[in-house]
Amino acid sequence: MEHSLYKFIIKYSLRQQIILTVLSVASFIPYYYFLDIPKAIVNKGISSKGVTYPVDIAGLGLFQLDKVGYLLWLCGVFLFLVLVQQAFKYAINVYQGISGERMLRRMRYELYSRVMRFPLPTFKKMSQGEIIPMITAEVEPLGGFIAESFALPIFQGGMLLVTFAFLMVQNWMMGLAGVALYPLQFYFIPKLQRKVNALGKERVKGARRLADRIGETISGVQEVHAHHGSHRLRAEFARRLGAIYWVRYEIYQRKFVIKFINNFIQQLGPFFFYAIGGYLVIQGSLDVGTIVAAVAAQKEMGGPWKELLTHYQAREDARIKYEQIIAQFAPEGMRPPEQQLLEPEQIPNLNGDIVLSNVSFTDDHGTSVVDGVTVTLPNPGSTAVVGGMGRDELLLLIARLLDPSRGKIMIGGADIAEMPEAITGRRTTFIGASSYMFNSTIADNLLFGLRQRPLKLRDYDGAEKRRFDRETGEALASGNSAEDPAADWTDYAAAGVDGPDGLTAATLKALATASFDDDVYQLGLRGVIDPARDPELAARIMEARQAFRARLDDPAVAALVEIWDRARYNDNATVAENLLFGTPVGDKFDLERIASNKYMLSVLDKVGLKDRFLAIGYDVAKTMVELFADLPPDHEFFQQFSFISSDDLPEFKDILARTSPDKFAQISDADRGRLMSLPFKLIPARHRLGHLDADFKALVIKAREVFAADLPADLKGAVAFFDPEQYTRAANLLDNILFGKVGYGQAQAAERVGMLTADVIRDLDLRPTITQVGLNYEVGIGGSRLSSAQRQKLAIARAALKRPDILLLSEATATLDAATQTRIMDSLFEAFQGKGIIWSLHRAAQAERFDRILVIADGRLVEQGKFAELNRDGTEFHKLLART
Amino acid sequence: MSLNEEVELLRRIPLFAKIEPSKLKLLAFTSERLTFPTGSTLFRQGDPGDAAYIIISGDADIIVETPSGPLKVAQLHGNDFVGEIAILCDVPRTATVQAASPLTTLRISKDLFFRLVTEFPQMAIEIMRVLAQRLERTTADWRAVAEKLKQTT
């Protein structure tokens, strides 16, 4: 990106600037006539000065107009000029907007690209909160400025000159007097403005700090709660807001002083006209008309002059802002763009020993974190790195995620500093102690390591193609990437497979390598699919449902799951579920809202359950108040067991005090609603409150029928009914297989049901399919819907799928339990046989199986060798072993 | 069986005999009723203790694993309370408990049990009393065994 704003503008928008300038100048012509036409209407059209009728318009005798006709003709011309003038304005504005937007797009794209080239340590000093507003908000006004950077001064300057010339023609002294004070303004205003600009910058910085603080608070919100830090944070935040306030305060004061001076000087013009001109009139050397014309002209000049001054100020502002942003986005050690943009046709393998010669790395405090390491690591082969500080950095250096301050790293005879990321990013993989996941599905995160460039373009046709081509053209016009994110970017060959079909098997294998297969399978079981889009899978799940049902015929397990049966009440489900006999879709019928749903209430009324609900609700409320009244409000029993939250308990106490079963006739609608909401949540087998007798259950079954039969059209989509022969669309896979509720009161019911379903799934060989559903699980922001252990496993699976030549792990499994750690190490050694593994280990004992062990202390390599060689008295390694 | 019947049942257990009915109702409401088919185990010797059980109906055997094989040391019946030692002292289960007939129990989780004990001191005192009685009985048994040993040697 160019260092000066104007160079940037000229380099990327010269053509647009020229077009805009030409358009602006061209618009002077209709403007001139537009100014002239009123005079013609008044003098010729109305007063008929020097006009003889009929008027011959085109001079060919074709259009002969009488007086009225001529007036109308002139008025028509006036209207036409208005149109032409506005059309020019429209064209200029739109074109200006487009050019500004393109430049803005180019700038944002460039800044974003730069962020990805920043050396990693930059992010220790520069936070997200600072970077994001710079790319999003702060560059925004630059786009607007760029669009008018040339056209505006030329246009307004032209206007100014024209008016000045007019003034000079009238009376040259007056003309000069009109502009006499301009140099004064031109000198003073920018001076004053400079201070305001500086304050403006201060304000921007303040806003950035504010954004930074908000970002930090969100990231650390758990800590805020855990230590009741909100009080202090609010105080700090208030001070930061205060800082912005005071800056703004000063800006306002100065800004209006400038305005004051500006307007004052502006009015000095008329002052002189009246004073000097008036004197001259009295002296008899000037006529009054000239003074009036001069004042009017000076006023005309005021507009463009003001615009020019504003533009001058905006230019200063834009220039500084631009330079500031560019400086921020060019940290020392930034990688050159080629390193990310180069895509060599052939990606060489990184086989051959990894040779570090005198490699040092100094952090931003000047501490040598890695200090003069010279070593040769076997590749293929395995290396363990143990010891103290500097291990992580050493691996980051080999993965080229950090650049050494001194020294060189060669792999197979090639300097890695020279390699484009296309090679290092494909042939090496670094996994740290905590891995970041993008807010997408597990599958997308897994394939992130295989998607480096579009390999199979997507075909578009018809309107889609036109849209795509248009977008591509526009992207190129702004210097953006024109590549299609919707193309197939997956590098199947890198994963060692032919295409999407083979990838499935490779993915399952990678999941197994990372011990992540079971997690994904479990997520899949709880996943929801759309049977309309995936009828095959739905059919297979239905098979599983039948098989599971057959298993329940065994009396030993029959009570584990109570199957949904249209003709029977399900004791292990809530009353709401029994009424719906289906799964709510959306929130119309969810447990919290069902009691206030008008249609549901009308159904209850129809079958005569309304009064029963009220009576049961009253009883339940009474029991809850009795059970929970003595407990402190924050007692966890409320959350675990109560139908009524601790906040609502007093309200229910009041309701109970106000009413009793014999006064139900007079109960208020609000109280009735509150009480009636309780029975919906009852599960007879679990709560055992004894309210739900056979009679009640029979009525519920009746209500169930009525509910389904009369369901209005607008609610049809709000519930997916249970049907033994149909896949329930809103329910997850597991619920579809069970097609019932796990029975309460059965010892180890969950485990035994889990085993039964696992058997069924194994028999039908459904596990891979369910795992695939699990792959579509959305991991949430930063992978927050996965546990940290799951994120690590996902990162390892991603590496196993990508199959780099060199795998670097820096305590990558430290968050996992010991058994899983061992299992993953075993499977990674198997999967990466014949490749390079470099593993930074916390526990030295785990290093036994490695070909080579490096012992690092204070960033220096103190020992190296095989386990047997190092494991003797007196070595650092021996001490490390003893410590664990 | 409804909640009220369970409360009646709990009151017949000495440990809970002196606790107010409303607290027993809370206990019954917040604990889980579990049924075990004959031959299944409530818990195994050596397992970490996570819950105590009240037998509502049916019989259960207490089995101790010895070097010479499992040894049935006692049988539990309705109204008996079992498994409290492991949750009170945080030691692994000292014996295996197995259903000798279809068994219905009330499972009181460790958390719940401690919460009840801390919240209702009468219950703690009751437990102390029951444990003390048990200790006294064990001591008496032990004295009898010692006497017997002395006679046989």
Side-chain angles (χ1 to χ4, degrees):
Chain A
M1 229 161 139
E2 280 50 45
H3 284 289
S4 106
L5 177 60
Y6 274 86
K7 272 189 193 155
F8 177 72
I9 295 173
I10 289 171
K11 181 159 180 188
Y12 295 112
S13 69
L14 185 60
R15 214 171 70 106
Q16 281 92 330
Q17 300 295 349
I18 290 173
I19 293 175
L20 277 170
T21 308
V22 168
L23 274 178
S24 305
V25 172
S27 75
F28 280 136
I29 301 163
Y31 181 64
Y32 173 79
Y33 284 109
F34 174 72
L35 287 176
D36 192 54
I37 197 86
K39 202 170 83 192
I41 293 178
V42 173
N43 289 346
K44 296 181 177 174
I46 301 171
S47 311
S48 306
K49 267 186 199 162
V51 184
T52 47
Y53 300 99
V55 181
D56 183 4
I57 297 299
L60 299 167
L62 286 174
F63 304 101
Q64 303 281 340
L65 295 174
D66 61 3
K67 194 170 176 181
V68 174
Y70 185 58
L71 175 68
L72 288 180
W73 159 256
L74 285 176
C75 289
V77 171
F78 172 79
L79 214 58
F80 172 72
L81 284 175
V82 169
L83 279 177
V84 171
Q85 212 199 333
Q86 292 307 315
F88 262 108
K89 243 184 197 153
Y90 172 80
I92 292 173
N93 282 338
V94 169
Y95 199 67
Q96 234 175 34
I98 290 172
S99 331
E101 205 54 40
R102 274 193 187 154
M103 289 299 272
L104 184 61
R105 181 174 176 175
R106 179 185 293 276
M107 224 179 319
R108 284 188 171 144
Y109 178 79
E110 172 69 21
L111 294 178
Y112 178 69
S113 306
R114 280 175 176 238
V115 169
M116 290 193 284
R117 300 206 311 270
F118 282 5
L120 296 192
T122 313
F123 296 105
K124 289 185 183 167
K125 292 175 286 184
M126 220 168 153
S127 75
Q128 273 187 33
E130 282 178 279
I131 296 172
I132 295 169
M134 277 196 260
I135 303 182
T136 53
E138 287 178 33
V139 295
E140 184 95 47
L142 285 182
F145 173 78
I146 290 173
E148 51 176 46
S149 55
F150 284 93
L152 187 132
I154 288 172
F155 181 74
Q156 301 292 356
M159 301 272 273
L160 193 67
L161 277 180
V162 168
T163 330
F164 179 65
F166 169 77
L167 216 54
M168 289 297 278
V169 169
Q170 302 294 316
N171 183 307
W172 67 269
M173 265 191 2
M174 279 289 170
L176 286 183
V179 298
L181 294 164
Y182 281 11
L184 202 67
Q185 252 171 316
F186 205 74
Y187 177 77
F188 271 118
I189 302 300
K191 279 221 150 136
L192 291 165
Q193 186 67 30
R194 204 161 297 152
K195 179 67 191 168
V196 174
N197 283 349
L199 285 168
K201 253 179 282 164
E202 200 59 39
R203 190 181 68 82
V204 168
K205 273 190 201 155
R208 232 183 259 163
R209 275 196 292 269
L210 204 64
D212 181 31
R213 197 65 188 165
I214 298 170
E216 266 205 305
T217 307
I218 293 170
S219 309
V221 71
Q222 204 169 316
E223 260 54 46
V224 175
H225 288 293
H227 302 289
H228 181 44
S230 62
H231 220 81
R232 186 174 160 76
L233 287 181
R234 265 195 299 272
E236 278 179 13
F237 195 71
R239 279 303 143 100
R240 276 168 207 248
L241 288 174
I244 294 179
Y245 171 83
W246 290 115
V247 170
R248 255 275 150 92
Y249 181 82
E250 209 171 325
I251 289 179
Y252 281 135
Q253 283 186 327
R254 286 173 189 270
K255 210 169 164 181
F256 293 118
V257 164
I258 293 176
K259 211 162 195 176
F260 174 82
I261 294 174
N262 227 345
N263 287 340
F264 179 72
I265 297 179
Q266 197 69 35
Q267 295 308 319
L268 278 179
F271 167 78
F272 284 126
F273 286 144
Y274 292 132
I276 302 172
Y279 175 76
L280 290 175
V281 169
I282 293 169
Q283 293 292 310
S285 54
L286 200 71
D287 68 298
V288 179
T290 313
I291 296 181
V292 176
V295 169
Q298 204 259 355
K299 235 181 198 136
E300 275 292 302
M301 272 163 71
W305 174 240
K306 227 175 202 167
E307 288 278 343
L308 274 180
L309 271 184
T310 319
H311 177 77
Y312 176 74
Q313 287 163 8
R315 197 187 75 165
E316 278 301 288
D317 209 29
R319 189 179 58 80
I320 292 167
K321 194 173 257 171
Y322 178 85
E323 281 164 15
Q324 221 183 6
I325 291 175
I326 292 301
Q328 289 275 358
F329 279 77
E332 210 180 313
M334 187 164 78
R335 301 237 166 114
E338 302 79 56
Q339 219 164 46
Q340 281 185 342
L341 294 178
L342 272 184
E343 284 288 347
E345 264 320 302
Q346 287 297 317
I347 308 287
N349 281 85
L350 291 184
N351 293 328
D353 290 349
I354 302 164
V355 183
L356 283 76
S357 30
N358 197 26
V359 170
S360 300
F361 177 74
T362 313
D363 70 7
D364 51 337
H365 296 299
T367 316
S368 288
V369 186
V370 173
D371 197 358
V373 173
T374 299
V375 69
T376 300
L377 307 178
N379 177 36
S382 59
T383 308
V385 183
V386 297
M389 190 189 79
R391 281 184 293 143
D392 195 42
E393 284 79 4
L394 186 66
L395 263 68
L396 285 165
L397 286 165
I398 299 173
R400 233 223 16 212
L401 296 173
L402 288 180
D403 295 320
S405 316
R406 259 181 298 121
K408 216 183 215 183
I409 301 171
M410 316 269 279
I411 299 178
D415 187 346
I416 62 165
E418 310 283 314
M419 289 178 198
E421 260 180 36
I423 298 175
T424 55
R426 280 188 179 89
R427 298 305 186 204
T428 68
T429 294
F430 173 88
I431 307 173
S434 73
S435 303
Y436 191 86
M437 292 300 148
F438 292 93
N439 185 5
S440 180
T441 61
I442 290 180
D444 278 342
N445 275 296
L446 266 177
L447 294 177
F448 192 71
L450 290 177
R451 291 175 173 167
Q452 278 93 8
R453 57 177 161 174
L455 292 169
K456 192 165 163 281
L457 296 182
R458 195 168 144 180
D459 289 326
Y460 294 94
D461 40 45
E464 267 195 331
K465 178 158 173 55
R466 279 193 296 280
R467 201 179 315 133
F468 176 75
D469 288 344
R470 195 173 156 203
E471 172 48 35
T472 309
E474 194 51 53
L476 288 172
S478 313
N480 281 203
S481 160
E483 277 160 345
D484 181 12
D488 192 354
W489 289 58
T490 309
D491 188 350
Y492 299 103
V497 297
D498 299 333
D501 297 334
L503 191 65
T504 308
T507 307
L508 293 177
K509 202 170 148 224
L511 292 178
T513 302
S515 292
F516 192 41
D517 45 349
D518 205 49
D519 300 68
V520 180
Y521 163 72
Q522 293 295 344
L523 292 172
L525 268 184
R526 277 151 195 85
V528 175
I529 60 157
D530 181 357
R533 283 181 57 189
D534 204 345
E536 206 178 314
L537 175 56
R540 298 206 61 197
I541 296 296
M542 290 304 292
E543 261 179 72
R545 182 190 288 182
Q546 308 309 343
F548 184 77
R549 183 121 201 217
R551 296 217 172 214
L552 286 185
D553 288 343
D554 178 359
V557 294
L560 283 178
V561 175
E562 188 176 1
I563 299 285
W564 289 113
D565 184 341
R566 182 161 274 284
R568 283 185 44 220
Y569 192 88
N570 193 321
D571 278 333
N572 288 293
T574 60
V575 171
E577 281 172 303
N578 268 295
L579 281 167
L580 284 182
F581 197 69
T583 306
V585 181
D587 58 6
K588 284 248 164 48
F589 289 115
D590 73 13
L591 200 52
E592 296 307 318
R593 285 165 206 243
I594 192 166
S596 51
N597 186 288
K598 285 213 170 63
Y599 175 64
M600 179 52 92
L601 293 176
S602 76
V603 170
L604 292 183
D605 201 21
K606 222 175 273 178
V607 298
L609 266 175
K610 215 170 169 180
D611 294 340
R612 288 294 303 271
F613 262 61
L614 182 58
I616 293 171
Y618 177 81
D619 268 4
V620 171
K622 216 167 126 189
T623 312
M624 291 302 128
V625 168
E626 180 193 345
L627 286 179
F628 293 100
D630 293 347
L631 294 181
D634 55 348
H635 203 290
E636 74 177 62
F637 277 6
F638 277 109
Q639 230 194 352
Q640 270 182 294
F641 299 105
S642 178
F643 284 80
I644 300 173
S645 73
S646 55
D647 296 339
D648 294 341
L649 205 66
E651 194 190 330
F652 276 96
K653 251 187 198 163
D654 293 344
I655 295 176
L656 292 177
R658 277 201 288 272
T659 191
S660 62
D662 53 316
K663 282 192 251 160
F664 278 165
Q666 294 102 40
I667 191 168
S668 73
D669 282 350
D671 288 359
R672 176 190 290 270
R674 297 293 279 179
L675 290 178
M676 280 186 68
S677 71
L678 296 175
F680 284 99
K681 297 175 184 171
L682 274 180
I683 302 172
R686 178 178 172 203
H687 297 117
R688 319 188 294 275
L689 292 175
H691 294 300
L692 312 183
D693 53 23
D695 187 34
F696 177 86
K697 290 175 183 175
L699 283 175
V700 166
I701 291 166
K702 201 169 146 202
R704 175 191 287 178
E705 296 300 334
V706 174
F707 179 89
D710 299 349
L711 192 64
D714 61 319
L715 289 174
K716 280 247 153 59
V719 53
F721 290 111
F722 296 133
D723 180 343
E725 306 305 325
Q726 289 284 325
Y727 188 91
T728 317
R729 80 192 134 93
N732 66 34
L733 296 188
L734 183 63
D735 285 344
N736 261 296
I737 295 174
L738 298 186
F739 195 63
K741 299 293 279 188
V742 176
Y744 283 96
Q746 303 297 316
Q748 286 116 34
E751 289 91 331
R752 286 160 71 198
V753 170
M755 268 152 59
L756 274 182
T757 38
D759 283 351
V760 167
I761 285 162
R762 197 182 41 243
D763 288 354
L764 292 171
D765 195 25
L766 265 174
R767 197 180 156 101
T769 323
I770 293 175
T771 307
Q772 293 247 351
V773 174
L775 286 174
N776 289 325
Y777 180 77
E778 294 280 343
V779 302
I781 296 168
S784 55
R785 294 179 65 201
L786 298 176
S787 69
S788 67
Q790 284 175 326
R791 284 198 292 276
Q792 283 309 102
K793 289 183 195 169
L794 176 49
I796 292 167
R798 174 159 70 193
L801 187 63
K802 179 170 126 181
R803 307 190 312 158
D805 294 329
I806 301 167
L807 177 64
L808 302 110
L809 302 110
S810 182
E811 299 194 13
T813 56
T815 50
L816 306 174
D817 61 81
T820 314
Q821 282 194 33
T822 316
R823 203 162 61 234
I824 291 178
M825 196 182 267
D826 287 346
S827 55
L828 279 180
F829 264 78
E830 197 189 309
F832 281 82
Q833 221 168 25
K835 292 170 178 270
I837 295 185
I838 304 172
W839 204 319
S840 167
L841 295 165
H842 182 62
R843 291 191 300 142
Q846 289 175 319
E848 186 160 4
R849 68 200 309 174
F850 287 81
D851 299 334
R852 177 78 52 91
I853 296 169
L854 308 185
V855 182
I856 304 286
D858 289 333
R860 291 172 178 279
L861 176 67
V862 288
E863 280 160 15
Q864 58 163 314
K866 289 184 187 308
F867 190 85
E869 297 163 10
L870 293 178
N871 187 17
R872 56 187 159 75
D873 277 343
T875 63
E876 268 309 307
F877 185 69
H878 196 76
K879 275 188 226 161
L880 285 172
L881 266 183
R883 218 181 290 161
T884 50
Chain B
M1 190 186 282
S2 79
L3 204 59
N4 288 329
E5 292 167 295
E6 275 171 24
V7 171
E8 277 310 306
L9 186 129
L10 285 175
R11 289 184 70 177
R12 289 203 290 272
I13 300 170
L15 186 60
F16 303 119
K18 291 196 179 128
I19 295 174
E20 316 163 30
S22 70
K23 303 288 175 260
L24 284 185
K25 207 165 182 180
L26 183 64
L27 174 67
F29 187 67
T30 50
S31 35
E32 193 182 357
R33 188 151 45 141
L34 277 184
T35 56
F36 292 86
T38 313
S40 63
T41 49
L42 278 69
F43 50 79
R44 266 174 218 292
Q45 186 174 334
D47 283 354
D50 57 349
Y53 295 83
I54 296 163
I55 312 274
I56 294 175
S57 67
D59 303 313
D61 293 334
I62 299 185
I63 296 161
V64 176
E65 305 286 340
T66 65
S68 51
L71 180 72
K72 180 180 155 186
V73 294
Q75 193 167 48
L76 297 166
H77 311 285
N79 297 354
D80 277 344
F81 193 54
V82 66
E84 76 285 5
I85 293 177
I87 61 175
L88 273 176
C89 324
D90 229 349
V91 293
R93 298 288 190 195
T94 51
T96 299
V97 175
Q98 203 172 48
S101 70
L103 188 70
T104 308
T105 64
L106 207 57
R107 180 180 182 276
I108 302 173
S109 72
K110 185 173 171 173
D111 282 354
L112 178 61
F113 186 77
F114 272 114
R115 196 147 291 139
L116 287 169
V117 170
T118 43
E119 240 141 76
F120 309 121
Q122 341 59 312
M123 216 177 119
I125 293 169
E126 247 347 280
I127 289 172
M128 266 159 63
R129 198 196 309 282
V130 170
L131 289 178
Q133 275 166 4
R134 240 185 248 174
L135 179 65
E136 199 272 329
R137 203 170 52 225
T138 313
T139 317
D141 287 351
W142 176 78
R143 204 178 292 133
V145 171
E147 286 292 326
K148 254 187 203 158
L149 269 174
K150 211 180 265 172
Q151 282 165 17
T152 49
T153 49

